[in-house]
Amino acid sequence: MSFIPGQPVTAVVQRIEIQKLRQGGNLILGFSIGGGIDQDPGQNPFSEDKSDKGIYVTRISPGGPAEVAGLRMGDKIMQVNGWDMTMVTHDQARKKLTREKEDVVRLLITRKSLEEVVSQSKGRNPRP
Amino acid sequence: MDNESMYSSYSYKSSHSRSSRKHRRDRHYSKSRDGASRGDKSVIIQAPGEPLLDAESTMADERDDNWAETTTVVTGTSVDSVSNEDLTRLSKDLDDSLPVDCRRYISPVFGAILGLFSVITPLAFLALPQLLWRDTLDPCGTPCEGLYISLAFKILILFISTWALFLRPPRAMLPRFFVFRCLLSVLVFLFVASYWLFYGVRVLEPRETDYRGIVGYAASLVDALLFIQYLALVLLEVRHLQPAFCLKVVRTTDGISRFYNLGHLSIQRAAVCVLDQYYKDFPVYNPALLNLPKSILNKKLSSFKVYNLEEENSTNNSTGQSRAMIAATSRRRDNVHNEFYYEEAEVERRIRKRRARLVVAVEEAFTHIKRHQTEESLASSPKHPREVMDPREAAQAIFAPMARAMQKYLRATRQQCYHSMESIINHLQFCIMHSMTPKAFLERYLSPGPTLQYLDNSRGGQWTLVSEEPVTASLRQGQVFCLKRLDFALVVTVMPLPFLRVGEEFVDPKSHKFVMKLQSETSV
């Protein structure tokens, strides 16, 4: 998941669709995010590359919509509803996720296990 | 003051103040008296200055018991032999014969005589051979003249430094003699006496002809005197400059306390230092401020009075009744302190209101007056002849509108006894003369100033030093002594300053680096 500045970022992503849950007057998704270009990347426990300033999922509330939809702790969010999440500040990311008008968010997330699965499957079934 | 305690108090016996054996005697006496019970020793310090509120003058009584610096200090122990009391009586007669003011100047006069004598001595050493046996003296050319010049300059330096150091009017009259000063006087006296002795035996009698030797002898005397003066400088002036103790001074009536750093001093000298600072630092003692307002006081007193009567009258089997009384009074007391709180808030509010009125009145009064520039008079003279006043008249003119507000404020803060109308007008005149603002004028009245501000120097500042140890003992940790006045006292506690261990840590200027530490986690 490291990137070379100036080069396009490639990653294996999974599409996750979360239905927002209305709870007490707010629409919640049921997870917490950390990271952003204005934050300290060295403190991120989930990133491999400690200079990665992307948005990561730091906590999932059990039984919430995010867990139900398949989001896991440590996932890096690449896109939210088409908005890029790799080069945003923490507050911008929060805003994109908590729009009142939308009750569904479609995330593109990536995690290390995805890469492994793909490379394994590639190795097992090499394309001719 | 307490006359009885003077007679029965313990003090030290020494034959004459110039005895150099005093120290040994001190130790001897303290050992011998350890078995007997020690009372408080009361001795008197008189500092120049004025007591502000001396209601009655008991100075006449105290003068009889006052022991000056150089008079005999005598023991009065009622337990031991009778002869000591006789000596006490003897010294009282001695004291009575000397008028008071002389005592202040005895010690400087003695010192001056001794100093003059010791400075004239080398000149006498030089002059006597010339006068008595001039013909038989060996001629002594250039070396002698060199010695003459150095002698002259050294004597001049001696004169100047003696004048600068020792010929100052004494600031305080201390109860016991000043140990170091007496030591040094004795040293000088012995020294000069021994030089004279040697001179008399070896030079005057055989009519010594070696004049150069005599001049050298006189020069050595002057050198030694200069060194003694150096010793005096160190002992009297320099040694106590390095702070070693912190003295906490608390006034008994209102609890105002201050802390002062002092060096190694004797108790009486420390008392003088403390009193110097007292006149400057402590706000003036106002007996009117100590009492709670009458409404509270009556209620409080009544509840306590009942309690106390029960205590005094009860012998053994009224404990049950007194317990009930205690419960009742405590319940009443709980209500009383509530009232006290509100009453205090009310008093404070009143003071603030009056103060606001006073400030406004004074500001307005000051706008009526303006400094008259002489150039203006030429421009506006014929049409509007303004009345030109001197400061006194100006002060009287603007005093009238603010007088009432001032009086009410002073009464509210219980300061009216310190400021008469005359003194207020004088102060107003002073402020107008120096173009001060109303705020500067009011500074004197809005906060109680240091005691020195209210002193008029007609009588001496009389204090009594009460201490369990002899007042010439040097300060030690944990000592406590009191400085008593007629209506209040200052309790002084001695604490040593801590020994400081100062370490070192080098900080590289390039090592100051910073990182961002923001790590927020938002739940969505």
Side-chain angles (χ1 to χ4, degrees):
Chain A
M1 290 189 271
S2 57
F3 70 97
I4 303 162
Q7 302 295 318
V9 175
T10 54
V12 181
V13 295
Q14 177 184 353
R15 212 172 274 153
I16 290 186
E17 189 172 306
I18 309 181
Q19 298 284 336
K20 285 192 189 177
L21 179 65
R22 185 160 288 275
Q23 193 187 73
N26 301 329
L27 282 169
I28 63 159
L29 287 163
F31 65 97
S32 299
I33 53 165
I37 53 175
D38 57 341
Q39 306 286 315
D40 179 14
Q43 306 224 357
N44 193 341
F46 306 110
S47 60
E48 277 185 13
D49 178 14
K50 288 303 171 188
S51 64
D52 185 6
K53 292 186 173 178
I55 306 290
Y56 281 79
V57 174
T58 55
R59 198 177 54 86
I60 310 249
S61 50
E67 191 179 12
V68 162
L71 197 61
R72 297 288 168 259
M73 197 165 76
D75 294 350
K76 178 176 173 181
I77 304 179
M78 309 296 281
Q79 273 186 14
V80 171
N81 284 347
W83 295 101
D84 170 56
M85 287 281 125
T86 55
M87 275 290 145
V88 289
T89 66
H90 189 89
D91 206 40
Q92 284 169 344
R94 179 192 60 86
K95 279 189 193 153
K96 295 287 186 283
L97 283 166
T98 53
R99 291 219 160 160
E100 282 289 320
K101 302 266 176 68
E102 308 162 349
D103 49 356
V104 148
V105 285
R106 293 185 180 83
L107 309 176
L108 287 181
I109 57 110
T110 180
R111 59 176 87 100
K112 184 131 186 304
S113 49
L114 289 178
E115 302 264 358
E116 284 164 14
V117 161
V118 166
S119 58
Q120 273 176 12
S121 65
K122 259 195 187 167
R124 253 187 270 133
N125 305 326
R127 292 220 177 200
Chain B
M1 291 307 294
D2 197 5
N3 286 344
E4 292 75 36
S5 71
M6 289 307 213
Y7 285 115
S8 61
S9 69
Y10 287 55
S11 57
Y12 277 43
K13 177 180 189 304
S14 64
S15 55
H16 273 287
S17 54
R18 295 189 181 286
S19 159
S20 61
R21 292 170 286 138
K22 188 208 175 265
H23 276 307
R24 264 179 273 136
R25 281 200 175 192
D26 279 356
R27 277 181 231 122
H28 166 70
Y29 263 83
S30 62
K31 269 188 239 144
S32 70
R33 213 172 294 132
D34 268 345
S37 60
R38 280 173 177 261
D40 272 358
K41 298 187 193 50
S42 302
V43 289
I44 295 183
I45 296 182
Q46 260 186 346
E50 247 297 279
L52 177 57
L53 294 174
D54 264 358
E56 57 209 307
S57 159
T58 54
M59 274 185 74
D61 296 332
E62 285 152 345
R63 269 175 220 158
D64 290 343
D65 302 332
N66 201 358
W67 294 334
E69 273 196 48
T70 56
T71 52
T72 310
V73 171
V74 176
T75 323
T77 79
S78 49
V79 184
D80 292 352
S81 60
V82 183
S83 58
N84 284 338
E85 286 175 1
D86 290 341
L87 282 165
T88 319
R89 245 177 284 132
L90 243 177
S91 81
K92 294 259 164 281
D93 297 335
L94 238 171
D95 288 348
D96 288 345
S97 58
L98 283 172
V100 179
D101 281 333
C102 277
R103 260 179 246 165
R104 216 158 132 173
Y105 298 109
I106 278 182
S107 131
V109 163
F110 270 127
I113 291 175
L114 190 63
L116 214 58
F117 176 60
S118 57
V119 167
I120 285 181
T121 304
L123 300 173
F125 284 0
L126 290 180
L128 280 174
Q130 297 276 355
L131 292 172
L132 294 177
W133 62 92
R134 182 189 279 265
D135 319 315
T136 53
L137 279 177
D138 290 341
C140 164
T142 333
C144 269
E145 279 158 20
L147 281 172
Y148 285 155
I149 291 180
S150 81
L151 250 181
F153 277 112
K154 281 184 196 158
I155 290 183
L156 180 69
I157 291 177
L158 249 182
F159 258 133
I160 294 179
S161 58
T162 311
W163 167 81
L165 284 177
F166 301 120
L167 296 183
R168 288 179 288 193
R171 281 230 48 251
M173 200 163 106
L174 297 176
R176 303 282 175 85
F177 47 85
F178 194 165
V179 172
F180 281 145
R181 205 180 285 177
C182 291
L183 253 175
L184 284 166
S185 319
V186 167
L187 191 65
V188 167
F189 180 71
L190 286 177
F191 183 71
V192 173
S194 64
Y195 259 69
W196 267 112
L197 191 66
F198 184 83
Y199 186 74
V201 167
R202 293 288 184 179
V203 176
L204 282 181
E205 288 218 5
R207 302 218 158 193
E208 178 69 39
T209 55
D210 179 15
Y211 194 57
R212 191 179 176 288
I214 296 177
V215 177
Y217 185 62
S220 78
L221 172 65
V222 178
D223 284 340
L225 282 177
L226 275 174
F227 285 135
I228 291 185
Q229 198 164 66
Y230 161 73
L231 181 66
L233 185 65
V234 165
L235 279 183
L236 297 180
E237 306 281 334
V238 171
R239 182 170 173 262
H240 61 77
L241 285 181
Q242 188 184 44
F245 297 102
C246 184
L247 267 65
K248 174 173 181 178
V249 185
V250 182
R251 189 155 66 182
T252 52
T253 47
D254 42 12
I256 298 183
S257 66
R258 296 278 185 276
F259 290 83
Y260 300 119
N261 276 5
L262 289 181
H264 290 276
L265 288 171
S266 61
I267 293 185
Q268 55 184 8
R269 282 174 80 193
V272 172
C273 287
V274 162
L275 284 178
D276 279 341
Q277 304 285 342
Y278 166 79
Y279 278 106
K280 165 177 76 80
D281 283 337
F282 278 66
V284 63
Y285 164 63
N286 194 347
L289 276 176
L290 297 174
N291 305 323
L292 296 169
K294 284 234 166 72
S295 47
I296 302 294
L297 205 54
N298 288 336
K299 292 204 181 97
K300 266 190 112 96
L301 267 186
S302 63
S303 62
F304 282 149
K305 240 187 207 161
V306 173
Y307 184 94
N308 284 337
L309 276 174
E310 274 295 88
E311 286 286 308
E312 278 171 26
N313 294 338
S314 68
T315 46
N316 37 18
N317 52 4
S318 55
T319 42
Q321 203 182 8
S322 62
R323 224 178 286 141
M325 195 53 68
I326 291 171
T329 49
S330 64
R331 247 177 276 126
R332 221 179 313 165
R333 226 182 300 157
D334 284 342
N335 293 337
V336 166
H337 79 60
N338 214 8
E339 292 180 29
F340 173 58
Y341 167 71
Y342 285 116
E343 180 73 32
E344 213 180 41
E346 174 69 32
V347 163
E348 240 174 87
R349 203 181 60 86
R350 207 180 307 148
I351 289 181
R352 270 204 297 258
K353 199 165 57 159
R354 293 213 175 153
R355 177 198 163 127
R357 286 206 190 125
L358 172 68
V359 168
V360 164
V362 169
E363 296 246 359
E364 251 181 277
F366 267 68
T367 56
H368 294 321
I369 206 164
K370 181 167 89 109
R371 191 167 269 270
H372 174 69
Q373 321 291 33
T374 41
E375 307 89 53
E376 277 180 12
S377 67
L378 300 170
S380 67
S381 48
K383 287 258 173 95
H384 310 281
R386 266 184 270 180
E387 193 185 300
V388 178
M389 301 183 281
D390 67 346
R392 179 87 193 166
E393 292 165 359
Q396 278 164 343
I398 62 173
F399 179 64
M402 68 160 99
R404 192 152 176 275
M406 173 71 82
Q407 197 178 43
K408 289 188 102 170
Y409 176 77
L410 287 181
R411 215 169 271 163
T413 53
R414 319 274 184 96
Q415 281 178 321
Q416 72 267 26
C417 47
Y418 297 136
H419 305 289
S420 65
M421 201 173 84
E422 188 60 33
S423 76
I424 300 178
I425 295 190
N426 283 343
H427 185 60
L428 189 54
Q429 172 190 348
F430 173 78
C431 291
I432 290 178
M433 199 153 51
H434 293 277
S435 307
M436 290 200 200
T437 60
K439 228 183 196 174
F441 164 68
L442 280 175
E443 166 266 341
R444 197 174 190 201
Y445 305 105
L446 291 181
S447 56
T451 314
L452 202 52
Q453 216 176 19
Y454 303 100
L455 240 43
D456 51 335
N457 290 321
S458 49
R459 283 179 296 164
Q462 178 118 357
W463 293 82
T464 305
L465 177 57
V466 178
S467 123
E468 287 166 18
E469 300 190 358
V471 294
T472 45
S474 60
L475 291 177
R476 264 184 327 107
Q477 172 189 14
Q479 263 179 359
V480 176
F481 59 93
C482 282
L483 285 158
K484 272 207 186 126
R485 248 283 164 84
L486 285 174
D487 32 8
F488 63 93
L490 296 173
V491 178
V492 182
T493 318
V494 180
M495 298 173 282
L497 289 175
F499 179 73
L500 302 170
R501 291 188 184 86
V502 182
E504 178 198 345
E505 184 182 324
F506 173 68
V507 172
D508 186 9
K510 293 209 195 67
S511 68
H512 296 292
K513 303 266 183 234
F514 293 92
V515 287
M516 286 261 281
K517 213 185 146 303
L518 301 172
Q519 179 64 13
S520 20
E521 188 182 329
T522 326
S523 55
V524 294

